[in-house]
Amino acid sequence: MDIKKLLKNLKNENKEIECKRCKNSLPKDIWPTYSSFANTDGGFILLGVSEIINNGRKSFEVTGVDNPGKVCDELWTCLENPNKVSKNVLRNEDVEIQKIENKNVIIIKIMAVSYKEKPIYINDIINNAYIRLNSADIKINKEQLTLFLRNQNTSQDENLLKNYMIERDIDLSSVEKYKQCLYDRLHDEKILSMNVEDFLIYIGASHLDYDDNKYYLTDGGLLFFGKINSIVSRFPHFHLDYFDKRGDNPRWIDRVASDDLSFQNLNLMNYFFLIMEKLRATIEEPFELEDNLIRKSSEKLLITLREAVINMIIHADYYINTTSIFIKVYDTYYEFNNPGMMLVSKKEFIRGGKSCPRNIVLTTLARRLGLSERAGAGGPEIFDFAIKNKFKIPQIETDLKQTNIKIWKIDEVSTAMHPELRKEAKKIFEYMRDNDKISCSAKEIKTNLSIGKYAFDKSIHELISLKLIKKEGKGRSTVYVRTISSLEIYMKLQKLVDEIQCDIIKR
């Protein structure tokens, strides 16, 4: 980490940076930040850097640590004390001493821990745990603690429903539709001959109770095939929504809702197939796809949307009341929202190969139909689509209460996104993006794009004001840098690694 450069541009502490004055001993207030970084998205604690306010303006100054060795010893001693922190999440390489302006600064890198390890708490009190919101360490409340603990269980929908009955609580037409789709995929005659009870056992919607040696419907089976009233009796906050908000209509031009009597028994399976028909209608260009939506094509928008829908369904937390499952369609992007946090990091979601579904039964039911790709492939599908089409990179927001993913179908300088941008500004941005230019000089841009000084100055001003690029340096050393999110940087690095590995295999 380049501390000098960081402090020069740092206006305020943020979600990933915490500065603390530290002279001869470890600050006592370091531990809430340690807990919050581990429980959220990770971050850096800088010991020996102080916040200075002068005439109402905030800046950060290197004040230094007088005895960094002693302070580091205190840190490691506390980390190994279970009465101080519930777990040591640091490695030796995560603590570094740097000399800045002839003063010592201790840099502590804290990685976010997995959902199975959260919450990281302090003083041997489990609810004495923190999460990071912007620059603040916020102590978790009772509801958040419950969510942390429930997230440790990734088989929530395997609960057995001993008081529910197939004849009363299952929508038989949904089962028959699933059965036909499975037969079309496998062409196994025995599938069609099974009765409903045996079929639900066969596909994993009903499980065996080893105590009484009887099969019972699971939570996942009810969510996927149940009648809406039976689902709501078990999951009071269950709600499915779809809004088509394209055009100038202040509300919507089309809506689907599970509590609308126009849609009978809108369980998860019926919702999926209905919504895929709706999404198909929003795509203008034709797509070659089988009627049962099973054919794989990583470059097709519909397949990308299918992955997002399935991802939303199998990762939702149906036991909490924070939000509902909903999909919103806009002119420029699609939005997918589900209750519950994503159980893998954003980087793991992009990289793929690691799947932590919250609902094992729902995941199994989707994969048997081929509606879900191999484990952990949804994220790469979604991001690859954006890369290949040069679209704006998907946005992911997740916290304890919900996960929200936006998939764009335009690039960042399209007329639909920024109608005010002049054509020269678009050319500059596209030149930097398409040629993987992190930074460019004014001379390079004007020469390669044949843009005059007046148009260049106006265009650069527009791009800077929209934060699509930023200006660095002064005079002849001035360069213009394309603003790239941390997700996009990671995505490009991962793509480079994949290409290198492919080359090695071919050799």
Side-chain angles (χ1 to χ4, degrees):
M1 174 181 283
D2 189 334
I3 298 295
K4 278 189 175 181
K5 185 176 180 180
L6 172 68
L7 296 179
K8 182 179 179 181
N9 298 317
L10 189 64
K11 304 299 180 184
N12 292 290
E13 292 172 318
N14 54 45
K15 192 175 181 180
E16 298 177 342
I17 300 293
E18 178 78 16
C19 300
K20 293 187 181 296
R21 181 182 290 272
C22 176
K23 282 296 184 181
N24 295 299
S25 60
L26 191 69
K28 293 181 179 179
D29 63 349
I30 191 178
W31 299 112
T33 305
Y34 171 86
S35 170
S36 72
F37 280 162
N39 289 329
T40 314
D41 295 321
F44 293 87
I45 298 177
L46 308 180
L47 300 182
V49 177
S50 304
E51 180 180 287
I52 308 296
I53 300 178
N54 189 8
N55 295 325
R57 298 187 66 179
K58 187 182 295 185
S59 62
F60 293 87
E61 179 182 317
V62 176
T63 48
V65 180
D66 291 343
N67 193 339
K70 173 178 175 292
V71 171
C72 287
D73 287 343
E74 289 180 27
L75 173 67
W76 290 114
T77 299
C78 289
L79 286 170
E80 295 302 326
N81 180 0
N83 293 319
K84 174 54 67 177
V85 294
S86 59
K87 183 173 182 178
N88 174 14
V89 304
L90 301 185
R91 305 161 300 176
N92 286 332
E93 57 265 35
D94 294 329
V95 180
E96 178 188 357
I97 301 173
Q98 276 193 25
K99 208 81 169 179
I100 309 295
E101 299 171 1
N102 207 32
K103 297 175 183 177
N104 295 306
V105 174
I106 301 175
I107 305 168
I108 304 172
K109 178 183 179 181
I110 302 170
M111 301 292 289
V113 299
S114 73
Y115 64 92
K116 292 182 179 180
E117 300 171 287
K118 296 176 182 178
I120 298 297
Y121 53 92
I122 60 179
N123 299 330
D124 203 24
I125 303 172
I126 193 169
N127 61 354
N128 200 9
Y130 294 77
I131 55 176
R132 188 77 169 181
L133 296 177
N134 197 17
S135 61
D137 302 318
I138 307 297
K139 189 174 181 180
I140 64 172
N141 56 36
K142 185 176 180 181
E143 179 190 23
Q144 290 167 329
L145 175 60
T146 300
L147 293 176
F148 270 128
L149 297 178
R150 190 162 70 244
N151 284 341
Q152 296 177 6
N153 175 19
T154 57
S155 58
Q156 293 180 6
D157 67 340
E158 291 185 308
N159 294 318
L160 301 180
L161 301 174
K162 296 190 175 183
N163 295 323
Y164 283 70
M165 297 182 293
I166 291 174
E167 298 81 4
R168 182 189 64 197
D169 301 306
I170 291 296
D171 176 37
L172 298 181
S173 64
S174 297
V175 177
E176 288 302 316
K177 184 175 181 179
Y178 186 96
K179 182 186 289 188
Q180 186 61 52
C181 288
L182 189 60
Y183 172 77
D184 291 342
R185 185 166 191 249
L186 301 179
H187 304 291
D188 187 345
E189 293 293 339
K190 73 178 181 182
I191 291 174
L192 297 179
S193 62
M194 288 182 183
N195 61 39
V196 174
E197 183 176 357
D198 289 342
F199 182 70
L200 291 177
I201 294 171
Y202 173 70
I203 61 177
S206 294
H207 286 182
L208 177 66
D209 184 342
Y210 287 93
D211 291 333
D212 62 14
N213 205 35
K214 293 181 180 179
Y215 283 92
Y216 296 97
L217 188 68
T218 60
D219 276 351
L222 178 66
L223 286 164
F224 207 76
F225 297 113
K227 294 178 180 178
I228 189 64
N229 290 336
S230 300
I231 295 174
V232 173
S233 72
R234 172 64 176 165
F235 304 93
H237 306 291
F238 179 84
H239 187 75
L240 307 172
D241 245 324
Y242 169 86
F243 300 89
D244 188 338
K245 307 189 77 168
R246 293 175 297 163
D248 299 326
N249 193 305
R251 300 184 70 193
W252 58 78
I253 59 175
D254 187 20
R255 186 187 179 189
V256 174
S258 55
D259 57 1
D260 188 336
L261 295 178
S262 302
F263 304 100
Q264 189 175 14
N265 291 325
L266 201 62
N267 50 41
L268 290 179
M269 194 196 77
N270 289 334
Y271 177 76
F272 170 78
F273 281 99
L274 176 59
I275 294 311
M276 288 310 302
E277 291 177 10
K278 300 282 186 183
L279 292 175
R280 184 199 294 268
T282 68
I283 300 172
E284 295 179 354
E285 62 177 292
F287 283 83
E288 294 182 1
L289 194 68
E290 294 172 358
D291 290 338
N292 57 11
L293 306 172
I294 295 174
R295 182 178 300 169
K296 299 177 183 178
S297 178
S298 63
E299 296 183 10
K300 303 299 185 181
L301 174 56
L302 190 60
I303 301 301
T304 302
L305 299 179
R306 187 194 71 186
E307 290 294 330
V309 176
I310 289 295
N311 180 79
M312 177 185 69
I313 287 174
I314 65 178
H315 291 288
D317 187 339
Y318 296 95
Y319 299 83
I320 61 177
N321 62 352
T322 55
T323 185
S324 63
I325 280 182
F326 67 76
I327 298 171
K328 294 181 180 179
V329 180
Y330 296 90
D331 290 321
T332 56
Y333 67 91
Y334 298 86
E335 180 179 2
F336 302 85
N337 194 91
N338 65 263
M341 72 179 296
M342 187 182 292
L343 297 183
V344 296
S345 69
K346 295 177 183 179
K347 291 180 179 179
E348 289 171 327
F349 183 71
I350 294 172
R351 183 171 64 242
K354 180 178 181 180
S355 179
C356 298
R358 192 186 302 273
N359 302 290
I360 300 300
V361 174
L362 294 179
T363 302
T364 300
L365 293 173
R367 286 181 182 160
R368 286 190 187 281
L369 284 191
L371 299 176
S372 175
E373 302 287 351
R374 64 188 185 280
E381 288 280 356
I382 291 170
F383 278 84
D384 284 347
F385 172 78
I387 294 173
K388 290 174 181 177
N389 291 279
K390 299 177 182 177
F391 287 163
K392 182 177 170 64
I393 298 302
Q395 294 173 257
I396 305 173
E397 298 296 333
T398 184
D399 56 33
L400 275 173
K401 295 184 176 181
Q402 63 184 340
T403 298
N404 187 278
I405 298 178
K406 291 184 177 69
I407 298 176
W408 300 82
K409 51 183 179 180
I410 57 172
D411 64 39
E412 291 181 284
V413 291
S414 71
T415 302
M417 179 73 76
H418 294 298
E420 74 281 11
L421 269 182
R422 62 180 60 229
K423 64 179 182 180
E424 292 88 355
K426 294 180 181 181
K427 285 175 64 177
I428 293 172
F429 182 87
E430 289 167 352
Y431 170 77
M432 296 179 70
R433 179 197 64 197
D434 297 346
N435 292 281
D436 278 332
K437 296 282 187 179
I438 300 299
S439 64
C440 283
S441 67
K443 181 179 180 181
E444 177 184 353
I445 294 172
K446 287 187 283 190
T447 301
N448 287 315
L449 298 180
S450 300
I451 296 177
K453 184 179 184 307
Y454 176 81
F456 172 82
D457 291 342
K458 287 289 186 180
S459 299
I460 286 294
H461 176 75
E462 289 180 356
L463 292 169
I464 292 175
S465 65
L466 291 172
K467 298 182 178 180
L468 293 174
I469 67 169
K470 57 185 178 181
K471 181 180 178 180
E472 290 188 357
K474 294 182 179 179
R476 292 185 177 181
S477 62
T478 298
V479 293
Y480 299 94
V481 181
R482 186 165 69 89
T483 304
I484 304 177
S485 68
S486 58
L487 282 185
E488 186 175 355
I489 292 172
Y490 179 80
M491 188 173 58
K492 288 181 179 294
L493 289 173
Q494 187 60 43
K495 184 179 179 182
L496 180 61
V497 170
D498 292 342
E499 290 174 351
I500 293 173
Q501 289 176 340
C502 286
D503 288 341
I504 293 174
I505 292 172
K506 289 178 180 177
R507 292 173 188 173

